[in-house]
Amino acid sequence: MNYKVTSLKPFGVIVEPNGKNINVKDLGIESLRKLFRQEHLVLLRGFDTFEGSEEFPDYCERWGEVSIWPFGRVLELIQQDDPKDHIFDHSYVPMHWDGMYRPQVPEYQIFHCVKAPLSGQGGRTTFSNTVLALEHASPELKDLWGKVTGVYQRKMEFYNSKTVSPIITKHPQRDFSVIRYNEPHFEEQGHLVNPVDLEFTGINSEEVGDFHRGLKQALCDSRNFYAHEWQEGDVVVTDNFTLLHGREEFTSKSPRHIRRVQVLSSPPFDNPGLESYQ
Ligand SMILES: [Fe+2]
């Protein structure tokens, strides 16, 4: 075995090389996929990684069919000077799942850290394991969540979409329930460029505040939540069907550059909640 596997807390694993000069491409995809299915998050750290701009998305093709965006296969997550959307700012990003506004929802997110913020500059990518969140929630809370449906509208450079999804839904290919939720942004949290327009049905207006507080608390509970502090060269593979993710704020102009590719499931999963898409 050219690598060793250690658990991360409270979920996920870190895979590290046994020796020097081992490339991430030398690791067997099917063994990694097994870890991914069990652990929902696989961090490959300490390996040699990718050269040039095509090696990374070409590697991702080994995991499955890569989702193609108007910009191609790779999203460059890097702060822009005049961002038109919060994902290109240095602000936090509310929890969500990827592909919620797209015709197909990818199963895998694969990240490659090209440059990491320095210690103390923030910018961790946050992940909540929604299976654990459901496992640890009281029956009363789960009853409340089970009544609610989110209605999300989002217009940005790459789409103008409306998506409707129950908070609790089945994993599309496995026999367990998951949470699908795009966390609302409240004004008291400060300014966010182009926030999502959202509405929640199935509960009355007096219950809405408690609903969001309870759900946020559960998603960020230390038993269910992992925040990834990036190191240069990290490759992280995450389960977008099971986890929700977001980002912590970082110091403006930090050296933070993450590449992200989305890989579809086999067969691809058509977005069940997409009501309109342009
Ligand atoms: Fe995302």
Side-chain angles (χ1 to χ4, degrees):
M1 194 85 120
N2 53 0
Y3 62 86
K4 60 174 187 283
V5 180
T6 315
S7 288
L8 292 168
K9 293 259 174 316
F11 66 93
V13 284
I14 174 167
V15 175
E16 293 168 293
N18 275 332
K20 284 200 168 124
N21 304 325
I22 301 176
N23 197 288
V24 89
K25 289 174 289 183
D26 300 334
L27 308 178
I29 294 288
E30 292 318 316
S31 326
L32 295 180
R33 203 188 303 277
K34 216 176 196 174
L35 285 173
F36 167 88
R37 284 177 69 82
Q38 282 162 8
E39 306 290 341
H40 309 291
L41 184 146
V42 179
L43 161 62
L44 311 175
R45 174 171 281 172
F47 296 94
D48 293 344
T49 56
F50 314 104
E51 281 168 28
S53 59
E54 298 306 304
E55 253 191 48
F56 172 51
D58 288 349
Y59 168 76
C60 296
E61 301 277 1
R62 295 199 206 165
W63 284 83
E65 182 187 344
V66 167
S67 181
I68 308 293
W69 284 74
F71 50 77
R73 296 185 293 177
V74 182
L75 178 69
E76 304 283 351
L77 290 164
I78 192 161
Q79 185 186 351
Q80 297 178 353
D81 285 339
D82 181 22
K84 301 286 183 284
D85 195 84
H86 52 273
I87 69 164
F88 299 119
D89 200 356
H90 63 97
S91 65
Y92 92 108
V93 172
M95 286 255 168
H96 62 282
W97 71 100
D98 269 7
M100 60 182 292
Y101 302 105
R102 298 253 298 157
Q104 291 171 320
V105 182
E107 180 174 15
Y108 306 83
Q109 300 170 283
I110 308 183
F111 302 91
H112 178 222
C113 178
V114 179
K115 273 205 163 40
L118 306 178
S119 164
Q121 290 184 322
R124 297 186 300 178
T125 300
T126 56
F127 298 94
S128 180
N129 182 327
T130 70
V131 173
L132 291 177
L134 286 168
E135 209 172 284
H136 293 136
S138 67
E140 294 75 28
L141 266 182
K142 277 191 280 194
D143 279 352
L144 175 65
W145 300 344
K147 292 195 283 185
V148 183
T149 293
V151 181
Y152 309 102
Q153 273 178 284
R154 176 147 162 78
K155 185 176 176 189
M156 54 101 72
E157 195 181 345
F158 308 120
Y159 50 71
N160 180 5
S161 295
K162 181 177 179 190
T163 290
V164 179
S165 176
I167 295 298
I168 301 182
T169 180
K170 283 271 173 224
H171 183 286
Q173 295 169 342
R174 299 176 69 183
D175 190 24
F176 53 75
S177 293
V178 293
I179 295 171
R180 302 290 81 182
Y181 177 58
N182 190 335
E183 176 195 355
H185 173 73
F186 298 105
E187 253 164 42
E188 57 268 27
Q189 293 170 279
H191 180 64
L192 193 71
V193 180
N194 193 30
V196 176
D197 179 1
L198 30 70
E199 179 190 352
F200 292 83
T201 62
I203 40 170
N204 56 47
S205 51
E206 299 91 75
E207 289 176 303
V208 169
D210 278 351
F211 163 74
H212 289 303
R213 266 188 295 279
L215 187 47
K216 174 84 196 238
Q217 208 170 54
L219 293 173
C220 297
D221 186 294
S222 59
R223 294 171 297 175
N224 315 324
F225 179 85
Y226 169 76
H228 184 66
E229 192 169 331
W230 293 101
Q231 287 186 16
E232 208 171 297
D234 280 353
V235 175
V236 177
V237 186
T238 56
D239 176 356
N240 182 53
F241 286 164
T242 303
L243 310 181
L244 294 170
H245 65 280
R247 177 183 75 201
E248 292 176 350
E249 183 185 348
F250 56 94
T251 307
S252 185
K253 313 283 184 219
S254 297
R256 187 183 193 276
H257 181 188
I258 314 290
R259 292 197 163 122
R260 190 218 59 200
V261 167
Q262 296 173 335
V263 173
L264 302 176
S265 53
S266 172
F269 177 48
D270 289 334
N271 187 346
L274 192 64
E275 288 212 339
S276 63
Y277 176 75
Q278 290 166 33

